[in-house]
């Protein structure tokens, strides 16, 4: 088994284990405020992917303290990453963003700032802010791409075209900011080959890291309605692992693998129920990777064959 795991990369970079502290900056999203839509992406829950974030409040210091308490049994006295997770965390004026991000970065034990957002919410003023913050501590931006396939992007109501993602990666790198790209495996209508094509594209896009997520269905989403109507076939654990292996093979060897699966809050999870047992899922993934001698980048090509 050989892949560049997040834990390994963080130990090399920061000298030990690093935990993410999920924060809520009180943002919304152009897919919810009427700019592009009002119901959000089809898979997105009521917390905007921030089910594990501290409750939104103006006091970031209080959120950090709460988040540290939640991981205290596993991690105390080490370093953390302040992670703005809920909704679109650059979708506000710079005058709002700068104090939020600055407060989150201020503690000595916060080693880096990670910001989840959309590629179409990175205007010049935001990019300038991120560049300035990055001179203090490392800043990462997590982009919700999910898929490169137009039909799937339209189904999930992503709301922007693929070139917008490409431009965001270039602009963020020009600002000195690292990029982590989110990909969903198992979107309706996509074949395993389609999913691997998305991973390959992300590898060639210049992203520094990737989060590979299982499509899971949360109560209260439009995806849940489609699932109940029989329109959303879901992957088995065995199918998911096979696709993961193929995705890792086409990614560049140096890319950091931030996640190998996704897990929604158990109280909201409708399906697949096997994904709720995170420990079992990760153990199954590791066992399969060892059995199959998985090696990240074994089929990596920087450019397609001419």
């Amino acid at each position: 088994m050989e892949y560049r795991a997040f834990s390994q990369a963080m130990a090399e970079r920061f000298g030990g284990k690093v935990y993410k502290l999920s924060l809520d900056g009180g943002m919304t999203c152009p897919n919810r405020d009427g700019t592009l839509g009002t119901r959000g992406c089809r898979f997105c829950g009521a917390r905007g992917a921030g089910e594990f974030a501290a409750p939104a409040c103006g006091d970031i210091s209080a959120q950090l303290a709460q988040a540290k308490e939640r991981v205290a049994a596993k991690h105390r006295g080490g370093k953390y990453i302040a992670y703005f997770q809920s909704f679109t965390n650059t979708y506000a004026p710079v005058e709002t963003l700068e104090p939020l991000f600055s407060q989150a970065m201020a503690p000595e034990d916060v080693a880096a700032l990670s910001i989840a957002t959309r590629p179409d919410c990175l205007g010049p003023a935001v990019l300038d802010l991120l560049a300035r913050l990055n001179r203090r501590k490392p800043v990462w931006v997590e982009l919700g791409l999910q898929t490169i396939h137009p039909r799937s992007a339209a189904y999930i109501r992503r709301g922007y075209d693929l070139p917008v993602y490409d431009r965001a990666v270039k602009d963020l790198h020009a600002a000195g900011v690292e990029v982590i790209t989110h990909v969903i495996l198992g979107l309706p209508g996509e074949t395993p080959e389609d999913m691997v094509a998305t991973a390959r594209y992300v590898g060639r896009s210049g992203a520094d890291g990737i989060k590979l997520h299982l499509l899971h269905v949360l109560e209260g989403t439009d995806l849940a309605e489609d699932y109940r109507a029989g329109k959303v076939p879901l992957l088995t654990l065995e199918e998911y692992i096979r696709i993961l292996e193929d995705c890792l093979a086409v990614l560049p060897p140096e890319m950091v693998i931030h996640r190998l699966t996704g897990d929604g809050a158990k109280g909201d999870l409708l399906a697949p129920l096997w994904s709720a047992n995170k420990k079992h899922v990760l153990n199954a993934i590791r066992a399969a990777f060892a059995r199959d001698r998985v090696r990240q980048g074994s089929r990596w090509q920087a450019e397609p064959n001419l």
Side-chain angles (χ1 to χ4, degrees), residues 227 234 266 269-277 281:
Y227 173 73
L234 296 172
K266 290 183 180 180
L269 181 67
L270 180 59
L273 294 180
W274 60 259
S275 69
N277 190 339
V281 171

Side-chain angles (χ1 to χ4, degrees), residues 123-138:
V126 170
L127 289 165
D128 179 68
L129 170 62
L130 297 177
R132 287 189 281 111
L133 294 172
N134 190 60
R135 290 194 281 271
R136 298 187 213 166
K137 290 181 180 179

Side-chain angles (χ1 to χ4, degrees), residues 23-86:
L23 307 173
D24 188 336
M27 310 289 172
T28 182
C29 171
N31 251 1
R32 288 181 178 269
D33 71 355
T35 302
L36 295 174
T38 58
R39 296 185 63 83
C41 291
R42 193 174 294 270
F43 56 82
C44 192
R47 292 290 306 276
E51 286 81 11
F52 303 107
C57 65
D59 189 346
I60 293 299
S61 297
Q63 286 197 46
L64 286 170
Q66 291 177 42
K68 286 178 184 179
E69 279 304 309
R70 285 201 299 275
V71 300
K74 297 180 286 186
H75 187 74
R76 189 182 288 274
K79 293 185 181 296
Y80 302 93
I81 297 164
Y83 180 27
F84 283 87
Q85 183 176 17
S86 304

